[in-house]
Amino acid sequence: MIRRTLLAALVSTALAAAAAPGIDRARVRRSNGRIEAIVASIEAAARSLAGDEAVPAGRPGARRTVSVSLPGAAWDEAEVDAISLASPAERTLTLRYRIAGGGRRSRTIRTPESVTTADDEPIELDGDGPHELALSLRGDQRRRRMVVERVSDARSR
């Protein structure tokens, strides 16, 4: 009887060890899917904002808010260690992230208008969230731009 129990434990351990790489890949794939959803929501907000009317003189322009919830450590998804949002070029946002135990990855978000982050500094997000990002129009009729900032940063100004 002890031999059967020991054999069952050994077989179970071997099966779990064989399945672990596949489970890890699935967790990373699910986290990448969540990052893609974040990118899509930022792109949609930027497109919607660009379609808005010109910025009125002396008044704030249109604004869109995006709620971002980062993947956390769970049995079904891998944790994202760090995420940053920067504007390296005039109509481009770059989302850089690292999934726990892996290398840095990046996604490029193209915008229909000139875009920048508040104070031209990268926006750092940590923890599983939620985090609120605001995209707002600034400038005048000739030269308007989108500014991306954290909502908590926007309120403190």
Side-chain angles (χ1 to χ4, degrees), residues 85-87 115-123 145-148 157:
L85 189 63
S87 179
V115 67
T116 186
T117 57
D119 302 325
D120 291 323
E121 294 293 323
I123 298 170
R145 64 188 167 107
M146 287 183 206
V147 176
V148 181
R157 292 176 185 226

Side-chain angles (χ1 to χ4, degrees), residues 16-38:
I23 292 170
D24 285 341
R25 278 192 301 275
R27 292 175 69 221
V28 168
R29 197 171 19 246
R30 181 171 167 91
S31 292
N32 277 326
R34 292 266 309 269
I35 295 293
E36 291 299 322
I38 290 169

Side-chain angles (χ1 to χ4, degrees), residues 66-123:
V66 177
S67 182
V68 174
S69 184
L70 303 180
W75 68 271
D76 62 340
E77 62 187 11
E79 181 177 17
V80 173
D81 286 340
I83 190 166
S84 70
L85 189 63
S87 179
E90 186 171 320
R91 293 179 182 241
T92 306
L93 286 170
T94 302
L95 182 85
R96 288 189 173 87
Y97 64 101
R98 187 180 68 196
I99 294 181
R104 294 208 42 87
R105 300 174 184 199
S106 67
R107 290 283 291 121
T108 301
I109 303 168
R110 307 257 183 243
T111 61
E113 296 277 342
S114 178
V115 67
T116 186
T117 57
D119 302 325
D120 291 323
E121 294 293 323
I123 298 170

Side-chain angles (χ1 to χ4, degrees), residues 4 21 42-44 46 55 57 60 62 69 86 98 135 138 149 151 153:
R4 287 184 187 169
I42 293 171
E43 283 178 340
V55 179
S69 184
R98 187 180 68 196
L135 286 81
R138 304 231 178 112
E149 58 192 344
V151 171
D153 293 343

